[in-house]
Amino acid sequence: KATGKDYGVKEYSFSEYDPNKFSEVTGLTGGSIQEKVWWALRDLGYSEVAVAGAMGNIYHESSGFSASAIEGNGEGNGLCQWSFGRKEQLHNFAASRGKDWTNEDIQIEFLIGELTLGGGADGYATFQFTESYYEKWVNATDIREATEAFCWGFERPDEGAGNDSMETRNEWAKVYYNESITLQEITI
């Protein structure tokens, strides 16, 4: 499903997979939070380049994919350092599900809602990308382009902070992209 390729498999038993690696919230799959974000965004149809750009940003924003990360001034929360109205929406969404805002699956579902035209997350999330940057992110053909588009169009940091951190964001995006290529080589 995530790759869009038909390998001719007609039947498959999932009994070998640990059911604890599947989220009770949205069916997210993966053994780590990074895997959950990667596969959630790939399942939405985003390219590996676009997803890697998002991953580099999320890594930087949350100090290494920490769902409980809190910005130094206390405003930004979680994987994407949601702040102000977006933070309030995240907290309200988590409360509506009887979960804490630090729950990684709640945050991934909220992220999906903010990347979905028309919103999502039971109406708590609204589409957050500026249109021109969304198109740049979705259609990016290189890591730097995807990383910059996600940074400026979705994360929207202070210009100075964004410029100062762009190399770190790009380096981590490359790491996640290269890991995806390695996995493809192993499974094909």
Side-chain angles (χ1 to χ4, degrees):
K1 180 178 177 183
T3 65
K5 294 180 184 175
D6 180 2
Y7 292 100
V9 176
K10 305 282 186 220
E11 201 174 305
Y12 189 81
S13 170
F14 288 92
S15 61
E16 69 183 87
Y17 295 103
D18 179 355
N20 294 324
K21 291 187 178 179
F22 292 87
S23 163
E24 64 186 69
V25 178
T26 59
L28 299 172
T29 185
S32 69
I33 191 168
Q34 291 93 334
E35 289 175 342
K36 289 178 182 182
V37 171
W38 180 270
W39 290 114
L41 298 182
R42 289 291 289 139
D43 282 350
L44 290 174
Y46 296 115
S47 72
E48 291 172 341
V49 170
V51 174
M55 300 278 290
N57 276 282
I58 294 169
Y59 180 91
H60 174 76
E61 291 290 328
S62 64
S63 301
F65 277 83
S66 171
S68 60
I70 298 175
E71 191 173 24
N73 65 7
E75 184 56 41
N77 286 181
L79 295 173
C80 295
Q81 289 297 279
W82 287 284
S83 54
F84 307 108
R86 291 169 77 182
K87 176 177 80 173
E88 185 178 330
Q89 290 172 316
L90 169 65
H91 286 233
N92 290 340
F93 173 58
S96 78
R97 293 285 182 92
K99 303 282 185 183
D100 191 77
W101 70 266
T102 61
N103 181 288
E104 64 190 46
D105 293 339
I106 286 289
Q107 289 186 34
I108 295 168
E109 188 171 354
F110 190 77
L111 170 64
I112 291 168
E114 287 195 327
L115 293 175
T116 302
L117 290 172
D122 300 338
Y124 287 93
T126 56
F127 184 72
Q128 287 296 321
F129 247 109
T130 58
E131 189 174 330
S132 63
Y133 280 114
Y134 181 74
E135 293 302 318
K136 288 178 185 176
W137 178 62
V138 169
N139 297 314
T141 57
D142 68 67
I143 302 298
R144 180 170 293 281
E145 182 181 19
T147 304
E148 289 178 1
F150 196 88
C151 177
W152 300 122
F154 184 83
E155 293 291 353
R156 301 189 299 270
D158 171 81
E159 187 175 347
N163 286 330
D164 290 346
S165 65
M166 194 56 68
E167 285 310 310
T168 301
R169 294 170 193 264
N170 276 307
E171 289 305 312
W172 279 102
K174 289 175 191 172
V175 167
Y176 289 112
Y177 180 78
N178 289 334
E179 284 181 8
S180 77
I181 297 303
T182 302
L183 286 174
Q184 284 182 35
E185 292 170 355
I186 292 170
T187 59
I188 294 179

